[in-house]
Amino acid sequence: MVIMSAIALNSVDNYLPINQLHQGDTKKLIHLLEPESIALSFWSPPYFVGKQYEKNETFDDWQELLKTTIQGHFSALTKGGFLVINIDDILAFADPQMPKVQAPNKSKLRSGVTKEDVLAAKKMYPDYNRRQLAAILGCSEQTVDRRLNGNNIRGGKYSLQTRVHLTGHYLERYAYECGLYLYDRRVWVKDPTWQNSQWHSSSYRAVSEFEHLYFFWKPGETVIDRNRLAPSEWSEWGSRGVWNIRSVRSNRDHEAQFPIALADRVIRLLTDEGDTVLDPFMGSGTTALAAIKNKRNYIGFEREQKYIDLARTRIEEELNQYTIPLL
């Protein structure tokens, strides 16, 4: 099967070439794209919630990254083109102004000693210190301290507390400020993140079971072509607001992969063969793989060398499945 006949190299030396990955800062690279050359940009931004490659980043850093990246798209997108962002609609960021959250978990208490028990012992033995009270109650000194002082701080008493933020309105504002308009929103229903979240056991918060896809549109003619999909695909997911797609079963190579089926659907729905698809946070290369599979050009940005190497390996393996003519 020949898949690359519609894929060409960028002939303009002053702009970043397509069908390549480019290492560097997305906020800078986004301005090096050929104007009106990108039919679709599909990506999931860094969440800055504890991944190894996101350490020391703040909520303000996240906002600046998203704002600069989104607003850099206006020039690069074709008229009528799309920017689609896959993101969890609520994210938690460390916030020094957030009140300490007292969250004793009764199901995990190692000792049945209550605050009332400690207060009763102190009343009976007012001169006893913490060690002596612990001996009477048959518990540890730490238990006595926690019952008296409420030191069941979520994450530890020396850790910054996390504040939950809604994210979608930030994306819409950044897009609108540069001339892009919210076109649609879809929901990706995935596997519950049991292994990646302790919310289900240490709070009343729900585990993450879905994410959003925000579709932004650059003003211009947008051709609606239902023939990009089979009739059954159009009725099953092309015109549906909820997509049920299994998560990546293992994230050992990259900590935040989305499934290729997700990228495949977005690319097939919104682009034609020969169009160019951008992922400014390419990571392990999933968007590029989906583009190649569907005879689209790709271009990707990534700052981490190990992920550049991983993505290039995966792309090479994908290309080796096809017969590629010499250009």
Side-chain angles (χ1 to χ4, degrees):
M1 177 182 179
V2 177
I3 73 158
M4 299 292 282
S5 58
I7 297 181
L9 293 177
N10 191 337
S11 60
V12 182
D13 294 335
N14 294 331
Y15 302 117
L16 295 175
I18 60 176
N19 298 319
Q20 291 188 27
L21 304 181
H22 304 276
Q23 185 175 11
D25 185 347
T26 288
K27 293 184 292 185
K28 298 177 181 178
L29 294 175
I30 194 74
H31 298 290
L32 301 179
L33 293 169
E34 181 178 0
E36 299 186 3
S37 64
I38 305 298
L40 167 67
S41 180
F42 175 58
W43 43 278
S44 184
Y47 285 177
F48 296 156
V49 288
K51 302 297 185 184
Q52 182 64 32
Y53 58 90
E54 300 168 349
K55 285 186 175 181
N56 303 317
E57 303 288 358
T58 67
F59 182 52
D60 289 340
D61 295 330
W62 181 84
Q63 290 179 292
E64 179 61 26
L65 174 64
L66 267 290
K67 180 178 180 178
T68 305
T69 301
I70 290 172
Q71 296 185 350
H73 276 76
F74 186 83
S75 172
L77 286 174
T78 59
K79 290 183 174 66
F82 289 96
L83 160 61
V84 179
I85 302 176
N86 163 224
I87 193 169
D88 197 333
D89 200 37
I90 62 169
L91 297 175
F93 294 86
D95 186 343
Q97 304 302 316
M98 181 72 183
K100 296 290 185 181
V101 179
Q102 299 281 351
N105 190 330
K106 288 191 173 182
S107 64
K108 290 188 174 183
L109 292 179
R110 297 180 181 179
S111 171
V113 173
T114 66
K115 181 177 182 179
E116 289 71 25
D117 294 333
V118 178
L119 292 175
K122 280 182 64 67
K123 184 176 181 179
M124 185 174 297
Y125 304 100
D127 297 328
Y128 275 26
N129 59 31
R130 190 174 65 181
R131 178 182 58 79
Q132 292 169 311
L133 291 172
I136 291 174
L137 294 167
C139 65
S140 67
E141 293 182 47
Q142 185 181 46
T143 296
V144 172
D145 181 60
R146 284 182 171 177
R147 301 300 185 269
L148 289 176
N149 300 310
N151 288 332
N152 295 287
I153 305 297
R154 184 183 65 190
K157 60 183 178 181
Y158 300 112
S159 299
L160 287 178
Q161 297 295 283
T162 55
R163 177 184 169 190
V164 175
H165 297 264
L166 287 170
T167 60
H169 69 289
Y170 289 107
L171 307 183
E172 182 185 18
R173 187 177 80 212
Y174 302 151
Y176 183 74
E177 287 174 352
C178 73
L180 302 176
Y181 292 83
L182 184 63
Y183 182 90
D184 195 12
R185 183 188 69 173
R186 311 236 174 160
V187 176
W188 165 33
V189 179
K190 58 181 183 178
D191 304 302
T193 53
W194 298 107
Q195 291 183 327
N196 297 328
S197 173
Q198 295 189 15
W199 284 8
H200 71 283
S201 62
S202 61
S203 80
Y204 293 119
R205 296 177 180 174
V207 296
S208 176
E209 297 184 87
F210 62 91
E211 296 182 11
H212 287 90
L213 299 172
Y214 290 97
F215 290 51
F216 295 98
W217 169 77
K218 179 175 176 177
E221 183 179 77
T222 300
V223 176
I224 308 302
D225 185 2
R226 291 180 56 167
N227 291 323
R228 292 170 177 168
L229 308 179
S232 61
E233 292 175 320
W234 184 265
S235 61
E236 290 171 5
W237 59 266
S239 59
R240 303 293 294 273
V242 177
W243 291 354
N244 290 277
I245 301 174
R246 297 294 299 273
S247 303
V248 175
R249 304 309 299 167
S250 174
N251 284 334
R252 288 175 297 179
D253 294 328
H254 189 280
E255 295 145 306
Q257 292 186 56
F258 52 71
I260 193 169
L262 188 67
D264 184 82
R265 287 190 182 186
V266 175
I267 289 171
R268 293 180 60 209
L269 181 67
L270 299 178
T271 67
D272 291 311
E273 291 185 12
D275 284 342
T276 299
V277 179
L278 167 69
D279 186 339
F281 302 98
M282 182 61 79
S284 61
T286 302
T287 300
L289 298 181
I292 293 169
K293 174 184 173 184
N294 290 291
K295 302 181 184 179
R296 275 68 165 171
N297 300 295
Y298 71 87
I299 186 169
F301 307 153
E302 174 56 49
R303 70 180 187 182
E304 299 286 338
Q305 183 62 52
K306 64 179 179 179
Y307 298 135
I308 288 281
D309 294 340
L310 172 61
R312 284 174 176 162
T313 297
R314 296 182 72 201
I315 289 170
E316 183 177 354
E317 291 173 351
E318 179 71 18
L319 290 174
N320 285 339
Q321 298 182 47
Y322 307 101
T323 300
I324 307 172
L326 295 176
L327 296 175

